Structures are given as C-alpha cells and as structure tokens.
Amino acid sequence: MRRWIAAALFELGLAVLCLAGAGYSWSHARRTTEYVTADDHPAFEAVRYVPPLLILATGLVILAGVLVIDAVARIVTGYVAPRVTETMH
C-alpha cells in the first residue's frame, strides 16, 4: 500500500475517533438537579452545563475537521500528482 493512502486512512480513522469522543463529551456535558417543594416555593429542575466538556467536544470537532481536510488533500495530491507528472514528460 502506498504511504499516502495509509496516512490518509489513519487520519480518517482518527477523525472518526475524535467525533465519537466529541459526541460522548457533548452528551455528558449537561447536569440536571431536581429541587423538591419547600414551603411556598414550587418544585423545579435546574440545568447546569459543564464548560470543560463543552470545550473538549468543540476542540475534538475542530480537530476532526482538520484531519478530514488533510486526508482529502493527501488523497487528491497522491492521486492527481503522479498523473500530472507523467503527462508532462
């Protein structure tokens, strides 16, 4: 297998892992707390978001995007470049 193909496949696999990690982090970034009725106050549910998990998810999505762009660039240049140099001789 050519080196650029292996590198592109590795980057795409790493991008998939980054997206899976981002999905896991995003889904666990929300915390809910239920408060019971007290005296004259009604019961309610409070939602709190965990900023480090949201930042992690955002960073992983950005990294996955960069990896996909780089993998596509490797595939295009690896596929097109040899054909262009052959026709120029």
Side-chain angles (χ1 to χ4, degrees), residues 68-80:
V68 167
I69 289 170
D70 190 49
V72 169
R74 283 183 192 267
I75 291 169
V76 169
T77 58
Y79 183 72
V80 173

Side-chain angles (χ1 to χ4, degrees), residues 1 7-8 11 16 18-19 23 30 32 36 49 55 62 73 75 78 82 84 87 89:
M1 182 181 293
E11 287 178 345
V16 169
C18 285
L19 288 176
R30 182 177 174 188
T32 58
V36 296
Y49 294 96
I55 292 170
I62 291 170
I75 291 169
V84 171
T87 58
H89 290 294

Side-chain angles (χ1 to χ4, degrees), residues 32-38 40-48:
T32 58
T33 305
E34 295 182 15
Y35 292 97
V36 296
T37 304
D40 295 337
H41 303 290
F44 67 95
E45 183 177 288
V47 177
R48 181 177 66 93

